[in-house]
Amino acid sequence: MERRPGVPRLLREINDRAALELLLATGPMTRGQIGDLTGLSKVTASQTLARLEERGLVEVVGAQAGGRGPNAALYSVIASSAYVAGLEVGPDLISSAIADIHGHTIADVTVDPHAHDDPVSAVHDAIVKACRGAKVGLGKLRGVVIGTPGVVDPRSGDVRFSFDLPGWHEGIHEALAGDLRREVTIENDVNLAAIAERADGAAKGLDDFVLLWSSRGLGMAVMLGGKLHRGRSGSAGEIGYLPVPGVPLPEDIRTLPGRLPSLAGGLQSLVSAEAVSELAREYGFAAASAGECVKVAVAAGAEGEPLLDEVAHRLALGVAAVCVILDPGLVVLGGEVGHAGGRALTSRVEEAVAKICPVRPHVATSTVEGNPVLRGAVLAALQQAREEIFSS
């Protein structure tokens, strides 16, 4: 029989990974529970846990009372075995969070990007301050994911175009990796919000859904088969440019260097925060932000219904266009406008879509607590860190 010396090592790696994944997903467990759920024998489970202890990845955190026998040791993944950083970068604020291997946020900070001359130093400052708050050295980070508005080039990893971040030019991705001395991932902010939505929100556990994000701008994330669909150029979800009836077509999308493209025209001109605020003023609901305008309209009862009807009609144009192509089943409304509208808005969007589209999706409000983009960045960084640990 042919000898395959690599097989035992491969089996050990598979067993180690299975035990780690189980402990991260379910929390502390006994050796027997790990064996039962992974199919490992008691001897193999013991050997696996011993290896993971030697690597500094698991530890005994308590004991579970048994039947007639002695208490069984409870094993858990050591929280400090890996740390990650997640960031959300906007035109006026950078938010950064540090989390341990379990995904628990242990520190978060915000910094002003205008206090720095370039994006690299601004991001560096945000991460260093968050690490300082978490008492974690920068060198201990095993994953760094940054969420930004705009299109991210899947080949270079750079922000190819963002109206809000004109300073994020080609080469920033490589410069950030060099500055932080580790791989860095830049991801579209709405895509990260969708990751958080699938983990903790209205789309929890679902493989197919879309997230329509209405804040300063308009964006969409597409989740198909449990994976983000980014498109060949990374532009999937740029629904703000969708041509819709009643408004001009988007123009000047591709401009000369040094010129910013126009955001006039297309769906963007109907349901961006600026457009919703302007519409709200026409209906007599003036507030500090588009989200506040929608909240006031919801609280106003019958008086606010005409505004909500119009916002829902405008959103339905985008939702219907997506549903006749993808039929995702669930559409989540996020961003300041979507979140503020709640069920009063989602029910209206459902009805409006049903009138113009043969597909009637369920429309829900985002339920992710806190900052969905920042949470999604942390979750994406965790996935990277865990894969690094599993394969090491």
Side-chain angles (χ1 to χ4, degrees):
M1 182 181 293
E2 180 184 358
R3 297 187 64 185
R4 300 177 62 189
V7 171
R9 178 179 177 181
L10 176 61
L11 289 176
R12 288 195 296 270
E13 291 174 355
I14 293 173
N15 293 341
D16 290 357
R17 176 172 185 140
L20 279 172
E21 287 182 334
L22 186 60
L23 287 170
L24 286 169
T26 61
M29 304 184 76
T30 66
R31 180 194 63 181
Q33 290 170 333
I34 292 172
D36 291 341
L37 292 174
T38 59
L40 301 177
S41 68
K42 290 183 178 180
V43 172
T44 302
S46 296
Q47 293 172 340
T48 297
L49 289 169
R51 284 195 301 272
L52 295 175
E53 280 189 288
E54 289 178 5
R55 293 173 59 190
L57 296 176
V58 303
E59 63 182 350
V60 176
V61 294
Q64 184 180 80
R68 298 177 181 178
N71 293 345
L74 281 169
Y75 292 86
S76 178
V77 177
I78 298 173
S80 60
S81 58
Y83 295 99
V84 300
L87 294 90
E88 181 190 18
V89 176
D92 301 312
L93 203 68
I94 296 180
S95 300
S96 177
I98 304 297
D100 62 28
I101 191 63
H102 294 287
H104 300 145
T105 298
I106 51 180
D108 58 85
V109 301
T110 57
V111 302
D112 179 5
H114 302 298
H116 301 272
D117 295 331
D118 63 277
V120 174
S121 59
V123 168
H124 184 98
D125 182 38
I127 294 179
V128 167
K129 286 182 176 178
C131 283
R132 191 178 300 134
K135 297 181 180 179
V136 171
L138 190 63
K140 291 187 177 181
L141 296 181
R142 289 212 183 196
V144 178
V145 174
I146 303 169
T148 70
V151 176
V152 178
D153 190 325
R155 290 161 295 186
S156 68
D158 276 313
V159 179
R160 185 163 55 85
F161 163 69
S162 174
F163 184 83
D164 285 331
L165 302 176
W168 283 63
H169 50 77
E170 185 177 352
I172 292 294
H173 176 248
E174 184 178 352
L176 284 169
D179 176 76
L180 297 172
R181 298 182 180 180
R182 68 154 297 113
E183 181 56 41
V184 174
T185 299
I186 303 175
E187 178 63 270
N188 173 265
D189 53 0
V190 184
N191 282 346
L192 292 177
I195 291 175
E197 206 67 53
R198 185 169 184 258
D200 305 319
K204 187 172 184 177
L206 294 181
D207 287 341
D208 300 314
F209 71 95
V210 297
L211 171 64
L212 188 60
W213 187 268
S214 179
S215 283
R216 183 178 186 272
L218 185 68
M220 186 183 72
V222 179
M223 188 76 71
L224 295 176
K227 297 181 179 180
L228 285 169
H229 177 72
R230 298 177 177 86
R232 184 179 65 85
S233 67
S235 299
E238 291 297 313
I239 197 172
Y241 299 103
L242 180 74
V244 292
V247 297
L249 292 174
E251 296 180 352
D252 299 325
I253 299 302
R254 301 184 184 278
T255 62
L256 296 173
R259 287 181 56 197
L260 290 176
S262 170
L263 291 183
L267 188 62
Q268 169 85 24
S269 63
L270 291 180
V271 286
S272 67
E274 182 179 351
V276 172
S277 293
E278 182 179 344
L279 179 67
R281 285 193 293 271
E282 295 176 6
Y283 280 91
F285 293 96
S289 67
E292 288 299 320
C293 288
V294 173
K295 283 183 181 179
V296 172
V298 172
E303 292 183 8
E305 289 183 359
L307 172 59
L308 294 174
D309 288 342
E310 179 60 27
V311 173
H313 168 72
R314 294 182 175 194
L315 286 169
L317 296 175
V319 173
V322 171
C323 287
V324 293
I325 298 172
L326 298 179
D327 190 13
L330 173 66
V331 175
V332 180
L333 299 185
E336 63 169 305
V337 173
H339 196 267
R343 187 57 188 163
L345 183 60
T346 58
S347 61
R348 284 174 165 80
V349 173
E350 281 187 2
E351 292 296 329
V353 171
K355 292 177 181 179
I356 60 175
C357 174
V359 178
R360 179 168 182 159
H362 175 57
V363 182
T365 307
S366 169
T367 58
V368 177
E369 296 183 3
N371 183 332
V373 176
L374 189 60
R375 181 58 183 165
V378 167
L379 291 172
L382 274 174
Q383 183 62 34
Q384 294 179 359
R386 291 174 178 179
E387 283 297 328
E388 185 177 308
I389 289 174
F390 295 155
S391 60
S392 64

